[in-house]
Amino acid sequence: MSRQVVTRFAPSPTGMLHIGGVRTALFSWLFARKHGGRFILRIEDTDLSRSTDDNIRIIEDGMAWCGLDWDEGPVLGDPGSWKGPHGPYRQMQRMELYRAKIQELLDRGLAYRCRCSREAIEARRKTVEAAGKVFQYNRGMDRGKGCAEAGHDASEPAAIRFRMPEGGDIVVPDLIKGDTRFPADSLDDWIIARTGDGPGDIGVPTYNFCVVVDDTDMEVTHVIRGDDHLNNTPKQIPLFAAFGTELPAFAHVPMILGADGAKLSKRHGATSITEYQAMGLLPSAVRLALARLSWTPKIDGRAVESAEEELLTDEQMIQLFDLADCQKSAARFDMDKLQWLNQKLIQRAPWQELEPHLRPFMPAPWASKPDAWKAQAIQCTQKGKSLTDMAEALRFAFERPAAFDEKAVEKFMTPAVKPALREVRDLVDYNHVALEAAITAILERHGLKTKDLAQALRVALCGRPVSPGIYDTLMLVGPEEVAARLQRWV
């Protein structure tokens, strides 16, 4: 490629960061990383009624949690700062540039002022629709009834419309979908800036205008976005041409459906990235699960098939990612598959990699525990499906049981086991070898099986007959606390 690859993720801060948006960001990130390019995070906040600073923070935090680092964009946690040469990266902070570009189009006769009231347009719309036609401003039955040839000056407040080409087709070349044609006559002269506050004022520009200016100014080479934006593209292509800028390559990725084929919604489970974080999923599992939606990675020209091959690392995904391997049809999100990936990645991760992700789910004393203790705690609970499962499995190490399983007490707290519990209470050497030798000797002296003593210890220490291996359980609780918890039973 002659130019450095530049991709961008440009969400609107009007709500939570949806996993569909994260999948689009991931594809853009993978493509930029594969080609040694730049990945931009840009906030499109021109929807003043719905955009909030809190939502911007949610986007930034969600992207950071997912591990999708950006080369240009807002500085995390500092809305007034940015990194990169094309800032600011919030559209409402770029109004001066937009208005200058709009004035350029007005001066060249490629845009015009529109003084039509909403009531006038609505009346014309009803007339057109009554005739069985689709209303288009300055097209079809509305030709000559608007402001296209009025040549309005700046003496009154007005919206600004872009003159769309007439006749022929506007072709949208797409790296996933191929060419899509839109008849130019089917597209009206659209508003690029809302009505300003006073005469001559250029109001807030619209999304389709801002995105073209931003993609041009930021030298974006590849626009990877959801296919719900496909219908916006024929409006944008003539605007690129009006500015005399090279058209970026487009790749519209298909939408994500629920497992039942319906549009993904709350009834299919969590839809915002913060919910997945709260569920105790690893960012790596989320990245891998989302990457596999509409993308089939190939190794030596062969689609990955085995379970082992599916567990791709970020490095492998970057190496293998190719837009040509993306499907045109919608992808189905499988929560069970995500949880399976999460469990597999938990099981194979070194404890040092898991610890930062597990830390937010653990009580405050976790932070002061030595590394050897943390390593043992993590390694003995790595069979869990999630970080929340691991945290729940380790609760006994920080909390004394608030209640006891009555059936387990009746079954395992027998008169025969209590003398053995008394001896365990008095142990002080918790070196693993010494502890195992001591427990073995206690079992022999009292004629007990390992299960008999282990289950009784679990009930006494955890309140129920479920815990990690008994030696791990004893060592994580520690000799002083073990003695205190056993006291009531002996």
Side-chain angles (χ1 to χ4, degrees), residues 200-217:
D201 290 343
I202 295 175
V204 176
T206 56
Y207 161 79
N208 278 307
F209 178 81
C210 296
V211 71
V212 171
V213 174
D214 289 342
D215 286 343
T216 298
D217 182 63

Side-chain angles (χ1 to χ4, degrees), residues 178-201:
D179 289 353
T180 303
R181 294 180 174 273
F182 294 83
D185 288 340
S186 67
L187 302 165
D188 56 7
D189 290 354
W190 53 282
I191 292 176
I192 59 176
R194 301 171 181 90
T195 302
D197 293 332
D201 290 343

